[in-house]
Amino acid sequence: MTEARTRPMLDVKRIYAEDAALELPRGQEVLGRWPDAEIVPVASHWNIPEVHGDERNVQRWVRIKTEALVLGVKKSLVTRPNGRSADFIAPSTANGCAMACAYCYVPRRKGYSNPVTVFANIEQITKHVARNIAKQGPKAEPNQCDPDAWVYDIGENSDCSVDAMISDNVRDLCDLFRMTPTAKASFATKYVNRDLLDWDPMGRTRIRFSLMPHETAKVTDIRTSPIAERIAAVNDFVDAGYEVHLNFSPVILTPTWESDWAELLRQVDDVLSPAAKAQLAAEVIFLTHNEPLHQVNLGWHPKAEDLLWRPDLQEQKVSQNGAVNVRYRSGMKGQLVERFRELVAEHLPSCRIRYAF
């Protein structure tokens, strides 16, 4: 497995669609992008055994992500407080991903291949978000999310750069924030979609390019943009009016992790422009893994598990959402975080770390 994409990101042959989604303009627009695709009626975007939830799909993981698309309606519209990556998590406009990173947490909830589900009721979603922004009023006190604006993560369960290839949902939300002086949209991405450079976000959308050492990414970041391409894109997106931060995530312990990260940070320092460095910040997230996902990965990409599943270094921990995961041991974890901060200070001194855990 390598970073390089060995097949098209999307070659949609089947669209599983709820009737309610097909009745909406956005649903019809998505169908129009793949007019030759077979339409498969489904009662619920959550319950499609041949797509997700069936362990026999493991061997077809990437093929399903490439060829299947789901159209649904987002039933529950809730904006949740966060306080880490953003002040709030906005309702998702999509769920799932066409990429296949070995550590991705999204399949833990929906199950197995989990291709992209597009939510067609985008007008309801944007109206909900607009009401929530209005309810907050101006931000009275700065915090680590942003000194002035309320930050809304719009891509918790998908990669918005890829979602933007499928529908205009992401652009609609970014246009909303573009005209909103008290708030910003934010999303992390592992894919460089240069079509976004034409959107003129006026500084109201924060893109967080996820980075990790090249050799590690070749094993774990499947079907993503190469790390060098992500780094090179930062200057262009800053010039196009985006705020661009970095997402050093996940930090995976390998025998050479310190030297690998030092090399990567020096590369970022060499490539980024003065304008990019002036607005730069990052978040640092050490690997969280999960035994069910470990078992899934053994069925399609066991090489990744040599890096991700390290019982000698990990312990169980209940996450904020109640899930039982494994993380690096608590006594060691604090030392690792501090060492990572030192590496950033030494090799990329222009980068402010917003939070690290």
Side-chain angles (χ1 to χ4, degrees), residues 23-313:
E23 294 172 359
L24 294 168
R26 184 54 37 89
Q28 288 298 312
E29 291 171 14
V30 171
L31 292 185
R33 297 196 179 194
W34 288 280
D36 297 328
E38 176 190 6
I39 301 174
V40 182
V42 294
S44 170
H45 67 85
W46 276 107
N47 186 19
I48 311 174
E50 64 189 89
V51 173
H52 48 67
D54 185 344
E55 63 184 14
R56 292 170 296 181
N57 286 335
V58 169
Q59 297 298 331
R60 300 190 299 131
W61 186 290
V62 173
R63 181 176 294 278
I64 291 173
K65 284 176 170 288
T66 305
E67 297 181 354
L69 188 65
V70 182
L71 268 176
V73 170
K74 180 77 171 175
K75 307 296 192 302
S76 176
L77 302 183
V78 177
T79 293
R80 310 191 325 268
N82 180 250
R84 283 183 170 173
S85 294
D87 293 293
F88 300 100
I89 306 295
S92 300
T93 61
N95 182 293
C97 189
M99 296 180 283
C101 297
Y103 47 77
C104 181
Y105 64 85
V106 175
R108 299 178 198 168
R109 183 179 180 203
K110 203 164 187 179
Y112 301 98
S113 59
N114 198 23
V116 178
T117 295
V118 178
F119 296 124
N121 54 326
I122 183 62
E123 290 189 8
Q124 286 182 302
I125 295 172
T126 53
K127 288 178 180 178
H128 167 91
V129 174
R131 287 193 300 268
N132 191 277
I133 294 171
K135 179 182 177 181
Q136 306 309 319
K139 194 173 195 176
E141 297 181 1
N143 61 14
Q144 66 87 13
C145 297
D146 194 86
D148 304 307
W150 297 110
V151 180
Y152 287 72
D153 194 313
I154 63 171
E156 180 186 34
N157 294 314
S158 64
D159 189 302
C160 288
S161 295
V162 176
D163 296 343
M165 301 167 59
I166 302 171
S167 80
D168 289 332
N169 280 0
V170 178
R171 182 159 193 173
D172 287 348
L173 271 179
C174 289
D175 284 348
L176 167 66
F177 284 93
R178 181 176 181 267
M179 306 306 296
T180 306
T182 61
K184 290 178 181 177
S186 177
F187 63 88
T189 183
K190 300 181 181 71
Y191 185 77
V192 178
N193 182 349
R194 291 188 169 271
D195 290 343
L196 276 61
L197 294 172
D198 298 327
W199 287 10
D200 189 21
M202 298 177 62
R204 310 312 299 179
T205 293
R206 173 187 294 168
I207 293 182
R208 291 139 41 221
F209 280 107
S210 296
L211 300 179
M212 67 168 60
H214 301 266
E215 293 305 312
T216 305
K218 287 179 180 179
V219 178
T220 63
D221 279 21
I222 311 304
R223 308 185 80 225
T224 64
S225 295
I227 295 294
E229 184 179 349
R230 301 182 214 174
I231 297 172
V234 172
N235 294 338
D236 294 336
F237 277 81
V238 170
D239 292 344
Y242 289 91
E243 183 180 40
V244 182
H245 287 185
L246 301 177
N247 185 0
F248 297 136
S249 169
V251 179
I252 300 169
L253 295 190
T254 69
T256 58
W257 77 273
E258 288 192 45
S259 59
D260 292 345
W261 274 102
E263 179 182 355
L264 176 68
L265 293 166
R266 288 193 295 268
Q267 180 183 358
V268 174
D269 191 52
D270 290 341
V271 170
L272 263 55
S273 67
K277 290 180 179 179
Q279 55 86 71
L280 190 63
E283 55 199 54
V284 181
I285 305 172
F286 277 74
L287 174 70
T288 298
H289 202 25
N290 175 280
E291 185 165 3
L293 182 59
H294 166 63
Q295 296 299 328
V296 171
N297 286 347
L298 289 176
W300 78 283
H301 188 22
K303 184 177 180 181
E305 289 306 297
D306 292 339
L307 300 180
L308 302 179
W309 191 253
R310 294 291 307 276
D312 56 319
L313 302 176

Side-chain angles (χ1 to χ4, degrees), residues 308-322:
L308 302 179
W309 191 253
R310 294 291 307 276
D312 56 319
L313 302 176
Q314 294 164 331
E315 64 182 5
Q316 282 194 350
K317 184 171 182 178
V318 179
S319 297
Q320 288 181 334
N321 62 5

